């Protein structure tokens, strides 16, 4: 098999998740460490008007890692964790096409086997050009006490950067040629990882909402790509403009409905999209974790 995937009687389709996430608190997303300061990840860009910007960033690879760990650490009916039950973890993945983790997120057994992942992550460039803030942090009191009792040099406090609360991050997940059962694990991982995103404490991020309390979320299930993709330009710095563009793209072709059905294409918007992801998540729990 060229792809390493077995033939299935279940229909394979493409699935997309588009969302705007909002930091509900300070968020540390580690990038590198300089002398006595932990830096968060940022990206630099030049807008169409020639304006140079530096924005906070949630790396797609960081989100992917948190989603995989959410699946590995999921509790199963036997009292084990899913990764232990399947003997699949990080870095020792099982790379089996029947594994609900590796079949979508990919797996590697060095020098022996590779299973290419079929879910890709994108976006993460903040909307607002709000630069991260530095905050003074000290070492844990126990470490300070131990060092002082041993008459060692007093530990040096350090600074850590944090993305400020309220920043919007447009993100995407794209799943290629997978079944509904396989997408269930992706939906579960996407929702389950949200409270766990971050390199340190505090952690957590939420799906942003409009002023009418509608989640900024879109789910596509299709064979034929239709409509416009709700991908926000990184040149935009105005949150309302980003939200307006997201909704405009989501409702193309123009409709007031939260569900669009066309030949070989379905789209769910807002609360309908959230309910659809929750339905798939429940399917994953019923067929994998509680099976």
């Amino acid at each position: 098999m060229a792809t390493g995937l077995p033939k299935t009687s279940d229909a394979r389709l493409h699935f997309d998740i588009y969302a705007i996430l909002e930091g509900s608190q300070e968020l540390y997303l580690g990038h590198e460490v300089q002398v006595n300061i932990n830096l968060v990840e940022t990206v630099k860009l030049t807008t169409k008007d020639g304006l140079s910007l530096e924005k906070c960033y949630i790396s797609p690879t960081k989100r992917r890692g948190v989603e995989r760990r959410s699946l590995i650490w999921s509790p199963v009916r036997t009292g084990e964790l899913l990764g232990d039950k399947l003997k699949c973890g990080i870095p020792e993945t099982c790379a089996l096409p029947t594994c609900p983790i590796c079949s979508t997120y990919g797996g590697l057994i060095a020098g022996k086997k590779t299973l290419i992942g079929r879910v890709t992550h994108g976006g993460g460039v903040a909307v607002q050009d709000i630069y991260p803030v530095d905050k003074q942090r000290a070492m844990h009191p126990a470490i300070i006490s131990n060092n002082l009792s041993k008459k060692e040099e007093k530990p040096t406090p350090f600074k850590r950067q944090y993305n400020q609360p309220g920043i919007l991050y447009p993100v995407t997940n794209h799943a290629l040629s997978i079944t509904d059962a396989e997408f269930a694990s992706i939906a579960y991982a996407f929702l389950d990882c949200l409270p766990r995103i971050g390199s340190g404490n505090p952690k957590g991020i939420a799906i942003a909402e409009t002023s009418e309390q509608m989640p900024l979320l879109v789910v596509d299930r299709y064979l034929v790509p239709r409509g416009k993709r709700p991908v926000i330009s990184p040149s935009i710095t105005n949150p309302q403009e980003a939200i307006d563009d997201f909704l405009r793209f989501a409702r193309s072709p123009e409709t007031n409905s939260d569900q669009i059905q066309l030949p070989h294409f379905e789209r769910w918007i807002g609360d309908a999209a959230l309910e659809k992801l929750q339905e798939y998540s429940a399917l994953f729990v019923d067929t994998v974790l509680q099976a």
Side-chain angles (χ1 to χ4, degrees):
M1 293 178 291
T3 64
L5 297 172
K7 184 178 179 180
T8 176
S9 58
D10 297 326
R12 293 189 185 278
L13 303 106
H14 309 312
F15 291 81
D16 296 334
I17 301 174
Y18 303 93
I20 296 183
L21 305 181
E22 181 180 29
S24 56
Q25 58 194 355
E26 291 179 334
L27 199 61
Y28 171 61
L29 295 158
H31 176 48
E32 60 182 89
V33 177
Q34 292 184 353
V35 178
N36 289 336
I37 183 167
N38 295 357
L39 302 180
V40 300
E41 194 164 4
T42 60
V43 291
K44 294 181 180 180
L45 63 138
T46 302
T47 68
K48 302 169 186 176
D49 301 327
L51 180 66
S52 295
L53 298 174
E54 184 170 4
K55 293 186 172 186
C56 295
Y57 187 53
I58 296 181
S59 167
T61 55
K62 284 187 173 68
R63 283 202 303 118
R64 182 185 181 88
V66 179
E67 288 182 16
R68 183 189 283 271
R69 285 194 296 274
S70 289
L71 295 176
I72 291 172
W73 286 73
S74 298
V76 297
R77 183 172 57 85
T78 58
E80 303 171 277
L81 299 180
L82 184 60
D84 295 330
K85 178 182 177 181
L86 301 176
K87 295 180 174 56
C88 181
I90 300 174
E92 296 185 13
T93 57
C94 68
L96 294 175
T98 55
C99 172
I101 305 171
C102 291
S103 63
T104 51
Y105 285 84
L108 171 66
I109 301 176
K112 295 182 179 180
K113 185 176 183 180
T114 299
L115 186 63
I116 302 300
R118 287 174 292 150
V119 54
T120 57
H121 296 66
V125 178
V127 173
Q128 304 96 311
D129 56 337
I130 300 176
Y131 198 72
V133 296
D134 297 352
K135 289 206 168 184
Q136 190 76 37
R137 290 292 178 262
M139 287 191 174
H140 193 280
I143 298 177
I144 296 176
S145 177
N146 289 338
N147 284 357
L148 291 178
S149 65
K150 296 176 184 177
K151 297 183 179 180
E152 296 179 4
E153 185 178 349
K154 186 175 180 181
T156 304
F158 64 96
K159 290 183 179 180
R160 172 170 286 171
Q161 287 187 342
Y162 292 91
N163 294 1
Q164 297 182 51
I167 297 179
L168 301 181
Y169 306 90
V171 300
T172 61
N173 283 25
H174 302 291
L176 174 69
S177 297
I178 64 173
T179 65
D180 284 300
E182 289 172 331
F183 182 68
S185 66
I186 298 170
Y188 177 92
F190 177 83
L191 293 177
D192 190 62
C193 85
L194 295 180
R196 298 165 177 82
I197 289 178
S199 303
N201 283 310
K203 294 181 184 291
I205 203 162
I207 299 173
E209 295 186 345
T210 67
S211 56
E212 289 78 28
Q213 288 77 53
M214 186 189 83
L216 294 168
L217 179 67
V218 171
V219 175
D220 287 351
R221 179 182 184 270
Y222 61 96
L223 285 175
V224 178
R226 297 181 184 273
K228 293 184 179 180
R229 296 181 178 271
V231 178
I232 306 303
S233 169
S235 296
I236 294 176
T237 57
N238 184 302
Q240 191 57 53
E241 182 182 354
I243 292 172
D244 291 344
D245 279 357
F246 185 87
L247 296 176
R248 176 169 57 85
F249 295 149
R251 299 198 182 281
S252 172
E254 285 68 22
T255 176
N256 290 323
S257 173
D258 288 341
Q259 183 173 356
I260 300 173
Q261 286 188 301
L262 298 171
H264 305 297
F265 178 87
E266 291 180 277
R267 170 171 288 180
W268 295 269
I269 304 169
D271 287 311
L274 182 57
E275 290 172 7
K276 182 56 63 174
L277 286 183
Q278 291 170 343
E279 287 177 15
Y280 276 109
S281 299
L283 176 64
F284 175 76
V285 171
D286 292 338
T287 59
V288 177
L289 301 184
Q290 295 297 309

